[in-house]
Amino acid sequence: MEIVRTIQEFKQKRFQGNFYSRPGMVVIHDQVHLGVEEVIWKMIKSCDLRIVILVPNCNETYQEWKFRTNLDTIKASLKIFNLDFLFIPDFEEKNYYEINGFEITPNQNWAGLLEGSYIKDFAKLNLNLFLNLYNLVQPKHLFVGQKDYYLARLLSDLIYGFGIDLELHVVESARNQQGVLYTGCLDRLSDSDKPQAEALNRTLEFIKRMIQNNKRDIEELESLAKDFVSSFLGFRLKKIYFLNAFTLDPVVSLDCADPILLAVMGQLGSEIFIDNIVI
């Protein structure tokens, strides 16, 4: 695995890999937990040139990210994959969340629907990031986790809207034995709080069972879910979303023919958790 830090060096390395037919790219931000590993393994199995990009989140400064990120731990975690390149862009050389000359603004109604990291400004920044990285890396395949369903939907629109020759792969979310989604937030919880993190996936499964038992009224389902999750002490249910899985528009009836994306947001301590399933 070669570690590359500058644009010029990466362009030289990438040019040497031009004879590969299936270059792939995965973007990560910090910890290499099991969910991230599953996405990278999917790229490893599908591509002959494997590139991981390590960048800060769009809601923190580059200096904050450098201070809190343990690069040695990340590099050690990535050794098992036998990657071709780990690209760690220097944001003092170029801000990848900005595009010079024009601005991409998501115009979908759903782009600002979710709270937290999915507000409209962050959607725009993430589109800028991936367009910048695509222009530099020139992958044929891009891999993201289902956990980031909204990001995948944004990227799908970006690929279609710009006519980009890029195949997007959405990798099924990795979960522990209790069904909890692997995220960096989970690792930051204390041992005493970790059992309460089950509230999110248990709520998703509870709502799914209620729907299978012919509960179709959305307001009633939300009320039942709030009663159900109240047994998880310390966990606060912030929002439940019933969305059309194709358009991400809010649904007013569960009798629609299209699949429904059921997304739940909750808070445990200072950590925000988001999970989703398609039903």
Side-chain angles (χ1 to χ4, degrees), residues 146-187:
Q146 184 183 324
K147 174 182 77 69
D148 299 315
Y149 193 100
Y150 257 46
L151 175 60
R153 190 67 181 82
L154 279 168
L155 294 173
S156 177
D157 285 357
L158 178 71
I159 291 167
Y160 178 79
F162 278 75
I164 296 173
D165 181 17
L166 177 65
E167 184 174 349
L168 177 65
H169 304 261
V170 180
V171 182
E172 185 176 355
S173 299
R175 301 177 182 274
N176 66 16
Q177 291 182 339
Q178 289 72 42
V180 179
L181 189 71
Y182 279 105
T183 67
C185 296
L186 187 62
D187 292 336

Side-chain angles (χ1 to χ4, degrees), residues 29 57-61 97 104-106 111-112 114-130 150-151 154-155:
H29 298 291
N57 282 292
C58 65
N59 59 345
E60 64 182 332
T61 69
Y97 286 107
I104 295 180
T105 301
L114 280 181
E115 301 173 31
S117 60
Y118 294 102
I119 64 174
K120 193 170 293 187
D121 285 345
F122 290 178
K124 178 179 68 177
L125 292 172
N126 277 309
L127 287 177
N128 293 347
L129 170 72
F130 278 89
Y150 257 46
L151 175 60
L154 279 168
L155 294 173

